[in-house]
Amino acid sequence: MRKISVIIANRHSTSICLEEEFYDALKNIAKQKGLSVNALVTEIDASRTDDNLSSAIRVYILKHLQNNE
């Protein structure tokens, strides 16, 4: 597990815990979209239905990978 500090919507600092593989996938998706990790996490946070941001990120990554197979 890796604890990562992120800033959501350029104002709210928080920490998320992700396995290294998920963090690598998050960075790759952000790069593909031309976004920073913070900007991508802000997008995920704004559209999530899960109370847990780390879980919402994992689900987002899974759906992204499934849609791009």
Side-chain angles (χ1 to χ4, degrees):
M1 284 287 223
R2 182 171 180 176
K3 191 171 190 175
I4 304 124
S5 294
V6 293
I7 299 174
I8 299 172
N10 293 321
R11 67 179 187 280
H12 177 73
S13 180
T14 191
S15 293
I16 55 175
C17 290
L18 292 174
E19 293 79 5
E20 194 69 34
E21 294 84 357
F22 278 105
Y23 184 60
D24 290 343
L26 182 67
K27 290 188 298 186
N28 288 334
I29 294 167
K31 184 177 178 181
Q32 289 171 9
K33 292 181 156 225
L35 299 172
S36 68
V37 169
N38 287 338
L40 181 56
V41 171
T42 296
E43 282 186 11
I44 295 167
D45 182 59
S47 64
R48 71 180 161 134
T49 56
D50 193 305
D51 288 337
N52 183 293
L53 180 56
S54 295
S55 294
I57 291 169
R58 287 184 192 93
V59 170
Y60 176 89
I61 291 167
L62 176 63
K63 287 180 179 179
H64 177 84
L65 294 173
Q66 288 174 333
N67 289 335
N68 290 308
E69 288 183 340

